[in-house]
Amino acid sequence: MGRERSRTVNWRMVLPAAGGAVVLGLGGLYVAGLVAGDDIAEGTRVRGVDIGGMGRAEAQQVLHRKLGPVFAAPVALKIGDRTEMADPGALGLSLDTAATVNRAASAGSDPVTAIGRLFASGGRDVEPAVRVDAHKSRAGINRVAAATERQVRDGSISFEKGRAKAVPPVTGVAVIADKALDTIRDGYLRTTHAAPVVMPVRQTQPHIGPQETERAMKEFAQPAMSGPVTLTLADKRIAMAPTTLGRHLTMKPVGRNRLAPSLDSKGLFADPAVSRPVRDASQGPRDAELRLDGDDRVVVAQDSSVGRHVTAKALGEAVVPLLTRSGPARTGEIASAEVQPKFTSASVQRLGIKEKVSSFTVAFPAAPYRSTNIGRAVELINGSVVLPGHEWSLNRTVGERTKDNGFVDGIMINNGQYVKSPGGGVSAVATTMFNAIFFAGVKPVEHGAHSFYIERYPEGREATVAWGTLDLRWINDSGHALYIKAESTDTSVTITFLGTKKYDEIRATKGPRTNITPPGTRTGSGPQCEVQSPLEGFDVSVGRVFVQGGREVKREDFKTHYTPRDKVTCTPEEPASAAAAGRSNASRATATSDSASRG
């Protein structure tokens, strides 16, 4: 029994001792592993770049040299169905080599990894660290989002040069900026630029898709442009080519997902290719025209006629149904309304227009601007009918003397001398009208003479007008309607009043010149300057004597003051001699007679 006891082992003493030995052994191995690692374990790689066994500074240089260009290369961003290239630096992204090396070194410093180095034969991959500048990233993402945003666009149809063209729909795409930063950072690391980074986007689908666009093209747009549309009006044909129709056709969304045609009827109606033939076919009403027979009695020279009136609405209603038809079926009639003339042959008798009341003619030197401006004013005045008690205005009847109204630049008086101005020459019409008023015995309301006297007009019995400042107005107080007949040639203008005479005769008297003032001398220059011959200024009084039954029943006096017409010379260039000669060789105004007598 004593020997058996001697072989018994005291395990309580053996086990702690053995454990201590193991710890001491492993500790030694751990220290040996750390010493063997020289900061970074053997076989450590970053995206295929081996930095095992290197010190930190060396590893950082290697990563900067080999991976720096890779991580600085443009990043492909897939935004919807398009791909955009972006600079990582502009997005606040860059490779952090220092953090990557620290990560590689710290990843191998735990006991298991350190001891495992002594026995491992394989390698170890470490993910690179990325530096993110949050402020710069947000700004860069906002720039990308703004540059790549695509607005949603419905499919549509355009009409160009007589052809229909489908405009494809576009899906709206917008980058979701709040999610984009994480997406770019993760994609930047994960792909190493091998594939585009798919950006988070919000897509908006169009309401009008390709199927609806195709339907609208087939059912309306292509037939609409297949040929001309022809309308008939008053036995006349008005053809509208596809190019004309297309300028005023559109297709607009109706509801949420359908295209419907829309014709701009007003635009089509105003288009010269349509307005001219419509105007020729419709023709406004024509008033009766009067003339005098050999005994100065009024007769109808041309009877009145009914006009036709066409509206833009009627044009559109006639055109739209024809657009989807083909061949002869693309012809239709346009609705119109009758417009009655204001002055007919029946009006002549009813209004008491039976004889010549007065007539006056002014002669003038021929000049192209005079022919144009006087002729245009005569055109606008001729045929006017002034009812009893109504007022007539030259400015209101003729309108502003502009190019759009048919007038050209001519010569008129401004600040006491001749200048070029639009509508020059119309004063000849004003003077002729004033004398027709004078000898008709009707009441002048507003009139004004020229500032200085012009030799071709009767002294004190002439008038001028200026748009916005001076008009020629009179009231028909004759008791019957007055018809104004105006006509002109290249050298004269005549205005005749037709109606019923109130007085047997109107006589004109004229007193001597008084308050005579000599002219001065002026020198002008520039393209507006006109040479001017001198003439004295003076006052003159003209009388209007109303005769009824062989005796004077009323008298009116008209006093006129004329300023001197200064001599004007122009430097350095003289104006055209023809204009100057025309003014210096002025002719006298003549009347049918200086009095208007019955019969």
Side-chain angles (χ1 to χ4, degrees):
M1 282 196 66
R3 287 194 292 269
E4 289 176 2
R5 267 196 225 78
S6 64
R7 289 197 297 270
T8 300
V9 178
N10 190 341
W11 293 102
R12 293 179 180 176
M13 296 177 63
V14 172
L15 288 175
V22 170
V23 171
L24 289 173
L26 291 175
L29 290 174
Y30 174 56
V31 173
L34 288 177
V35 173
D38 193 20
D39 285 347
I40 300 175
E42 291 288 347
T44 300
R45 295 181 297 274
V46 179
R47 293 290 170 92
V49 177
D50 190 351
I51 58 173
M54 296 182 187
R56 293 174 184 249
E58 181 185 4
Q60 189 173 340
Q61 291 178 356
V62 170
L63 291 178
H64 179 76
R65 185 175 66 253
K66 294 191 175 182
L67 292 184
V70 175
F71 280 85
V75 180
L77 304 178
K78 186 172 177 58
I79 303 171
D81 57 1
R82 59 190 288 188
T83 299
E84 297 287 334
M85 304 303 293
D87 177 15
L91 295 173
L93 301 174
S94 61
L95 175 64
D96 191 339
T97 55
T100 302
V101 169
N102 289 339
R103 178 183 291 176
S106 63
S109 62
D110 63 279
V112 175
T113 304
I115 295 171
R117 289 182 192 154
L118 301 174
F119 305 100
S121 59
R124 179 171 65 91
D125 291 322
V126 175
E127 278 298 298
V130 173
R131 183 183 297 109
V132 179
D133 184 332
H135 177 75
K136 198 172 183 180
S137 291
R138 281 192 294 271
I141 289 170
N142 289 337
R143 284 195 300 272
V144 170
T148 60
E149 182 178 11
R150 187 170 61 194
Q151 298 294 329
V152 64
R153 184 184 70 196
D154 285 335
S156 62
I157 293 172
S158 65
F159 298 91
E160 301 174 6
K161 298 180 180 179
R163 298 178 65 87
K165 179 181 178 182
V167 180
V170 174
T171 300
V173 176
V175 172
I176 304 175
D178 293 344
K179 299 180 180 179
L181 178 57
D182 291 341
T183 301
I184 290 178
R185 184 182 57 214
D186 294 345
Y188 181 65
L189 275 173
R190 184 178 63 254
T191 63
T192 318
H193 316 338
V197 178
V198 179
M199 297 288 285
V201 296
R202 183 181 297 106
Q203 294 190 335
T204 305
Q205 297 299 324
H207 297 306
I208 307 296
Q211 290 183 339
E212 173 58 17
T213 305
E214 183 179 353
R215 180 205 65 78
M217 279 286 289
K218 183 178 180 181
E219 294 181 7
F220 178 81
Q222 290 175 337
M225 297 290 99
S226 63
V229 164
T230 303
L231 299 179
T232 58
L233 174 63
D235 298 327
K236 293 184 179 180
R237 295 169 64 85
I238 303 167
M240 287 165 277
T243 50
T244 300
L245 295 168
R247 285 197 291 267
H248 309 285
L249 263 181
T250 55
M251 297 204 74
K252 298 181 178 179
V254 175
R256 290 179 58 85
N257 56 6
R258 189 172 179 84
L259 287 172
S262 176
L263 176 66
D264 178 7
S265 299
K266 291 183 179 180
L268 181 63
F269 191 72
D271 194 308
V274 176
S275 62
R276 281 193 294 265
V278 167
R279 186 170 57 247
D280 292 342
S282 60
Q283 293 185 351
R286 187 176 65 228
D287 289 336
E289 294 184 12
L290 307 182
R291 64 176 179 83
L292 294 171
D293 63 12
D295 296 324
D296 280 351
R297 308 299 294 180
V298 172
V299 296
V300 176
Q302 186 173 16
D303 207 351
S304 60
S305 62
V306 174
R308 310 293 306 182
H309 178 64
V310 177
T311 64
K313 181 181 178 183
L315 177 68
E317 290 174 347
V319 168
V320 171
L322 304 179
L323 292 173
T324 54
R325 300 179 186 177
S326 59
R330 293 174 69 85
T331 298
E333 186 174 353
I334 183 172
S336 62
E338 283 190 354
V339 182
Q340 299 297 326
K342 294 180 180 179
F343 185 70
T344 65
S345 56
S347 305
V348 176
Q349 298 299 324
R350 187 179 73 253
L351 295 174
I353 301 173
K354 61 183 183 180
E355 60 188 341
K356 179 173 74 173
V357 177
S358 67
S359 185
F360 198 82
T361 298
V362 165
F364 49 81
Y369 79 86
R370 288 196 183 102
S371 298
T372 298
N373 294 338
I374 292 173
R376 176 56 177 158
V378 161
E379 178 186 3
L380 295 167
I381 292 171
N382 185 48
S384 297
V385 177
V386 186
L387 297 177
H390 285 222
E391 180 187 272
W392 186 91
S393 158
L394 189 147
N395 279 345
R396 187 167 59 242
T397 303
V398 173
E400 188 173 3
R401 273 70 78 186
T402 63
K403 182 179 179 181
D404 289 341
N405 195 21
F407 293 89
V408 297
D409 283 351
I411 306 300
M412 63 189 304
I413 300 172
N414 183 28
N415 193 27
Q417 69 181 74
Y418 290 120
V419 296
K420 293 183 175 69
S421 182
V426 173
S427 64
V429 179
T431 293
T432 309
M433 175 63 73
F434 179 77
N435 279 274
I437 297 166
F438 186 96
F439 289 111
V442 293
K443 181 181 178 180
V445 175
E446 179 185 0
H447 78 283
H450 290 84
S451 57
F452 57 67
Y453 178 56
I454 300 175
E455 293 94 320
R456 62 175 169 269
Y457 300 146
E459 292 180 17
R461 238 177 46 233
E462 49 91 9
T464 186
V465 288
W467 182 257
T469 58
L470 179 61
D471 199 358
L472 174 59
R473 296 184 295 126
W474 54 274
I475 290 178
N476 178 11
D477 59 351
S478 70
H480 295 85
L482 288 173
Y483 177 93
I484 303 175
K485 185 175 181 62
E487 50 196 336
S488 66
T489 67
D490 287 342
T491 57
S492 69
V493 54
T494 300
I495 291 179
T496 303
F497 284 9
L498 306 179
T500 298
K501 287 185 177 182
K502 184 176 181 179
Y503 301 96
D504 293 340
E505 184 180 7
I506 303 293
R507 298 171 183 165
T509 63
K510 181 177 76 68
R513 295 182 179 184
T514 61
N515 194 25
I516 296 174
T517 308
T521 301
R522 301 190 198 184
T523 300
S525 62
Q528 299 299 319
C529 183
E530 291 289 323
V531 169
Q532 183 171 287
S533 59
L535 183 69
E536 64 188 17
F538 59 92
D539 293 346
V540 68
S541 180
V542 171
R544 180 163 70 160
V545 180
F546 298 79
V547 178
Q548 188 71 24
R551 65 184 182 86
E552 180 181 322
V553 295
K554 186 169 66 169
R555 174 185 288 267
E556 293 176 345
D557 290 327
F558 298 85
K559 298 183 183 299
T560 303
H561 170 72
Y562 292 111
T563 61
R565 188 174 69 202
D566 294 338
K567 179 181 180 180
V568 175
T569 56
C570 298
T571 58
E573 294 180 358
E574 291 289 332
S577 58
R583 287 189 298 275
S584 63
N585 296 326
S587 61
R588 296 280 182 179
T590 58
T592 301
S593 66
D594 247 11
S595 63
S597 57
R598 183 178 298 277

